[in-house]
Amino acid sequence: MNRLSNPYKLLLLSLAMTVLFCPTLKASDILDRAKAMEIIDKVGPTRFEGLWQFTSQGATVLILRDASPAHPDGEPSSYSIIMIDPVDGTNIKPGEIIGQAWPSAKAEHYDCRLKGNVENDNRYHRFTAHLNDEGHISFVRDKSGMSVSLWRWIPYLFRVTVVKNNQRDPSLDGCIKIYPIQPSTFKSPRYL
């Protein structure tokens, strides 16, 4: 006869009680940093999860795994990006989901869908997020590779076109992790 022992019965019973009687967490329930930190401490975050602050505007977001099935290697199949501290002058409210992220085939790279500019732009745009070794995320916007120059239709005198080259590295836009803080990577003391 194949019976479960008492510890397993208690474990299954507690799991069933948790699923049945605990309300599911909604993004709108997370309105401040204290609640976000409490949730992060409960879930045991991956490297990608946590509180992140954008370097350009200063907005703070929470990246949290969804309740979807995980990959065989243990990484969640998707993450929600939830606004915690919005920038002044926007229509985004705390607790609003502003994007989604999915692991890509390349390690530490994620496909993201984020709301565009913070200035009342409710459209979603595609980004590639890279989580580097220091625990920073850089976002690079996915753009199409084609452009049309209408200057070529003007007669020969004005055929010289001026192309504006942006020399700024697009991977400089991103987030810095503010909670939980990663441990220091120094292995030996530095001497002068």
Side-chain angles (χ1 to χ4, degrees):
M1 204 187 302
N2 206 357
R3 291 184 148 174
L4 291 174
S5 64
N6 281 341
Y8 290 118
K9 286 181 184 177
L10 290 174
L11 179 65
L12 288 173
L13 181 63
S14 66
L15 181 63
M17 297 297 279
T18 304
V19 170
L20 291 175
F21 296 111
C22 288
T24 58
L25 182 69
K26 296 181 285 193
S28 59
D29 296 338
I30 308 168
L31 297 176
D32 60 350
R33 286 186 187 204
K35 182 72 173 174
M37 288 179 189
E38 179 184 329
I39 292 167
I40 291 169
D41 291 337
K42 283 182 184 176
V43 297
T46 60
R47 280 192 62 216
F48 192 60
E49 290 178 295
L51 274 176
W52 297 86
Q53 186 170 26
F54 279 93
T55 56
S56 57
Q57 301 100 0
T60 304
V61 295
L62 171 67
I63 299 178
L64 191 64
R65 72 185 79 142
D66 290 333
S68 56
H71 286 286
D73 64 354
E75 186 168 13
S77 59
S78 66
Y79 297 89
S80 291
I81 303 172
I82 304 164
M83 180 62 73
I84 300 296
D85 292 329
V87 179
D88 292 337
T90 64
N91 63 352
I92 300 173
K93 295 176 179 44
E96 183 177 340
I97 295 178
I98 62 165
Q100 292 283 117
W102 302 270
S104 68
K106 193 172 183 181
E108 305 298 338
H109 285 75
Y110 298 86
D111 290 324
C112 293
R113 187 176 61 100
L114 290 171
K115 283 192 177 180
N117 300 330
V118 253
E119 292 87 14
N120 301 324
D121 184 7
N122 287 324
R123 295 176 297 151
Y124 285 95
H125 302 282
R126 304 239 354 146
F127 289 86
T128 300
H130 174 240
L131 179 63
N132 65 14
D133 292 336
E134 290 83 28
H136 298 357
I137 297 176
S138 60
F139 290 98
V140 178
R141 176 114 183 248
D142 295 340
K143 295 181 182 178
S144 68
M146 297 174 55
S147 63
V148 176
S149 174
L150 297 177
W151 289 105
R152 292 298 207 182
W153 291 34
I154 298 177
Y156 291 107
L157 180 63
F158 299 104
R159 255 198 146 155
V160 176
T161 60
V162 177
V163 178
K164 186 176 181 182
N165 293 326
N166 189 1
Q167 298 296 327
R168 186 173 188 275
D169 185 9
S171 66
L172 293 177
D173 296 328
C175 297
I176 297 173
K177 193 169 203 172
I178 56 176
Y179 187 81
I181 302 297
Q182 299 292 331
S184 177
T185 57
F186 292 119
K187 295 186 176 25
S188 62
R190 293 186 178 191
Y191 298 100
L192 293 176

